[in-house]
Amino acid sequence: MKDKKHLSVSAIENGTVIDHIPAQNLFKVITILGLDRIPNQITFGTNLESKLLGKKAIVKIANKYFERDEINRIALVAPHAKLNIIRNYEVTEKMLVEVPNDIAGIVKCVNPKCITNDEKVTPKFKVVDKNGVSLKCHYCEKITDQEHMEYL
Amino acid sequence: MKNKSLVSINDLSKDEIFRVLDLAEEFERNPIQRIMEGKVVATLFFEPSTRTSLSFESAVNKLGGRVIGFSETSTSSVSKGETLKDTILTVANYSDLIVMRHPIEGSARYASEVSPVPIVNAGDGANQHPTQTLLDLYSIRKTQGKLDNLKIVMVGDLKYGRTVHSLLMAMSQFNASFTFISPAELRMPQEYKMYLDELGLKYEEHTDLAENIKDADIVYMTRVQRERFSDPMEYEKVKNAYILRNGMLEGTKPNMRVLHPLPRVNEINTDVDESPKAYYFTQALNGVYTRMAIMALILGLKK
Ligand SMILES: [Zn+2]
């Protein structure tokens, strides 16, 4: 039997479905992937029940496929996100987001006195907590947590 | 350590730390070794720190090397125009090693990535000052005969104090226990206490100075600055509570020594200076031997 979610997933002919986004981070995912700046047809649902996340969001983007690096950019706000690649109404591939060990050029360092906020230096971080996702700056050694993440 | 930059104390293994301390000891016994003959060290002080720059210059001079460099006169204005990268790439042409102090945090790490010659971080904002930490370790080992299992009491501004944070990280490798004495507003940050919890190391927190130094092996004093307080009244209330006086040393352990990164303002009363337990001026001298050791190792002049 097909459940409701499955039906909505099947509703696009070609494209990508991103599932298991924490509801409160939906708009961050949209911004990070630049979905607010593309002409593609996009539908999303939010505040859906989720055993894993409490409330989750789901986004469906028609005629759009993502590269691995692009997708890992959302690892910081949606570490458990799952992607379904749809071709001709069929899920042809599934991808999980991977939280990388190192991150460069995606997030700003929270420390205003950091060299990365003072001169043209690409911010680099070590991921010190993969579940809550917090980042230790390679340069100033300060921690940038979820709450203070600002995207480049 | 040959050809490696020294940016953060966390870059050094325990063995490397011991190597620096042992070589510093050798230089203390025999300080006149002209092994840096023909070497040029650039000291770039983008903010003033007279003591640190004099200490480095003295270290280079004792080893027969030459010093070039500059020091900005005001703390606030790094005169902009040229990027740090350009300054480093230019100065690297004139020198074998660059000693750098800069108010921006992470600047030394960045400099070490663009520079063709090794960088020694002499302080990057509130972040790191590894040569200070190494000279503190040298002073502790020298006065206690060991680094293991010591009781370290830290006093004053424990919230913003870069030196106490780095010292805590370094001493936590040697099974130290800690007492933190500070005004409520300037407590040791949670992240450091969590770090000690993870390692299973003991610490206590107090606001009273005199009562809590009796079992100390090391009392590490720092300055409590007015500008660190959000409420000036709060500063007025506590400003005299963290001054160490000679009378308080009564009943402390015979091996106890008082350390301070200097300059002091009034947090150690001058009547402490005569006590055999006052060690801060010798600590500053130890800084010269420690910096001699660091530069000699990085330049590959000693193994
Ligand atoms: Zn930073």
Side-chain angles (χ1 to χ4, degrees):
Chain A
M1 200 181 87
K2 288 187 170 187
D3 61 17
K4 240 185 171 169
K5 191 183 84 194
H6 195 111
L7 284 176
S8 56
V9 168
S10 311
I12 53 173
E13 185 179 351
N14 291 297
T16 305
V17 175
I18 309 174
D19 196 359
H20 299 295
I21 300 166
Q24 73 274 16
N25 288 343
L26 167 64
F27 292 96
K28 283 188 184 151
V29 167
I30 289 174
T31 315
I32 294 166
L33 293 177
L35 303 183
D36 48 351
R37 282 171 277 140
I38 56 171
N40 305 47
Q41 212 177 72
I42 299 168
T43 51
F44 62 83
T46 187
N47 293 327
L48 309 169
E49 293 302 322
S50 159
K51 279 201 187 101
L52 183 68
L53 302 163
K55 298 275 184 197
K56 70 165 186 179
I58 187 166
V59 182
K60 296 177 281 176
I61 310 113
N63 304 312
K64 170 92 187 158
Y65 303 100
F66 296 94
E67 299 290 331
R68 217 332 114 213
D69 324 349
E70 260 183 299
I71 273 312
N72 284 345
R73 289 170 68 100
I74 68 166
L76 300 176
V77 293
H80 304 291
K82 207 165 125 191
L83 278 77
N84 289 316
I85 318 301
I86 314 284
R87 287 192 171 89
N88 199 18
Y89 297 107
E90 295 285 330
V91 175
T92 57
E93 201 185 326
K94 288 176 189 264
M95 271 166 97
L96 286 174
V97 165
E98 288 160 19
V99 181
N101 297 322
D102 303 281
I103 282 182
I106 298 174
V107 177
K108 273 182 66 160
C109 178
V110 74
N111 177 8
K113 287 173 125 178
C114 177
I115 184 78
T116 60
N117 292 314
D118 188 72
E119 203 158 295
K120 257 194 140 169
V121 181
T122 306
K124 284 187 223 161
F125 301 89
K126 271 235 149 355
V127 178
V128 285
D129 178 357
K130 287 206 173 185
N131 291 314
V133 186
S134 68
L135 308 175
K136 184 175 186 175
C137 179
H138 167 72
Y139 293 101
C140 75
E141 306 184 20
K142 296 277 177 302
I143 301 284
T144 299
D145 60 18
Q146 275 275 5
E147 210 183 311
H148 296 97
M149 277 176 203
E150 217 182 292
Y151 293 85
L152 288 170
Chain B
M1 284 174 69
K2 191 182 173 188
N3 289 326
K4 267 172 59 182
S5 292
L6 176 59
V7 173
S8 166
I9 189 72
N10 309 325
D11 296 346
L12 295 184
S13 68
K14 223 164 154 173
D15 281 347
E16 286 172 322
I17 290 175
F18 284 131
R19 184 63 200 118
V20 171
L21 303 189
D22 290 346
L23 184 57
E25 218 164 72
E26 186 193 317
F27 284 129
E28 178 168 2
R29 282 194 304 269
N30 178 16
I32 310 300
Q33 304 189 32
R34 302 190 63 82
I35 53 174
M36 271 179 81
E37 197 102 41
K39 299 287 184 191
V40 176
V41 171
T43 57
L44 309 186
F45 278 62
F46 295 88
E47 65 176 6
S49 175
T50 312
R51 274 158 201 79
T52 306
S53 90
L54 287 177
S55 176
F56 271 105
E57 282 178 37
S58 171
V60 176
N61 281 316
K62 278 189 198 242
L63 294 178
R66 304 298 290 258
V67 178
I68 58 170
F70 63 79
S71 179
E72 297 280 338
T73 47
S74 115
T75 20
S76 53
S77 70
V78 172
S79 28
K80 269 284 173 187
E82 190 178 54
T83 61
L84 177 60
K85 184 181 178 182
D86 287 8
T87 308
I88 294 293
L89 289 177
T90 310
V91 173
N93 293 323
Y94 314 143
S95 56
D96 301 289
L97 184 149
I98 295 174
V99 174
M100 172 181 138
R101 187 183 186 95
H102 200 291
I104 295 293
E105 292 156 28
S107 54
R109 176 75 61 201
Y110 176 60
S112 77
E113 291 173 350
V114 298
S115 174
V117 304
I119 303 281
V120 173
N121 182 6
D124 60 326
N127 186 29
Q128 286 280 338
H129 189 4
T131 65
Q132 175 72 46
T133 311
L134 287 163
L135 80 88
D136 289 343
L137 292 176
Y138 183 78
S139 300
I140 291 171
R141 191 174 79 163
K142 189 140 183 264
T143 58
Q144 307 300 318
K146 59 174 187 176
L147 286 172
D148 294 300
N149 311 318
L150 295 171
K151 173 91 177 189
I152 313 288
V153 177
M154 298 176 162
V155 184
D157 179 356
L158 305 185
K159 184 173 181 184
Y160 299 101
R162 163 184 71 190
T163 44
V164 292
H165 298 160
S166 298
L167 185 60
L168 179 149
M169 297 299 282
M171 286 306 291
S172 64
Q173 297 189 53
F174 299 101
N175 195 38
S177 57
F178 298 90
T179 300
F180 304 133
I181 303 177
S182 71
E185 205 165 326
L186 300 180
R187 283 220 184 109
M188 183 61 74
Q190 199 56 36
E191 54 183 293
Y192 293 102
K193 290 186 269 184
M194 275 163 56
Y195 181 73
L196 296 179
D197 285 337
E198 269 168 42
L199 295 176
L201 297 176
K202 281 192 233 121
Y203 61 86
E204 298 167 28
E205 281 187 288
H206 299 285
T207 49
D208 183 80
L209 174 57
E211 293 305 306
N212 294 299
I213 59 174
K214 303 296 181 212
D215 60 346
D217 296 306
I218 293 291
V219 173
Y220 201 100
M221 299 294 299
T222 65
R223 203 171 359 137
V224 173
Q225 291 165 282
R226 183 191 303 268
E227 55 271 26
R228 298 301 192 194
F229 286 82
S230 47
D231 177 4
M233 285 295 292
E234 202 48 41
Y235 170 76
E236 293 303 320
K237 263 193 266 171
V238 304
K239 68 174 183 189
N240 292 319
Y242 299 94
I243 297 178
L244 187 69
R245 297 169 201 283
N246 198 31
M248 296 176 183
L249 300 183
E250 210 171 297
T252 56
K253 289 166 77 172
N255 62 300
M256 188 276 267
R257 291 295 178 272
V258 179
L259 269 58
H260 188 299
L262 302 183
R264 81 171 145 185
V265 180
N266 64 346
E267 57 280 9
I268 301 175
N269 199 324
T270 48
D271 68 4
V272 177
D273 296 358
E274 304 309 317
S275 164
K277 292 177 180 175
Y279 195 72
Y280 27 93
F281 293 116
T282 315
Q283 182 187 359
L285 170 63
N286 291 341
V288 177
Y289 304 131
T290 310
R291 289 172 177 128
M292 288 163 85
I294 291 162
M295 289 187 287
L297 288 168
I298 291 176
L299 289 171
L301 304 170
K302 292 272 184 179
K303 281 204 179 85

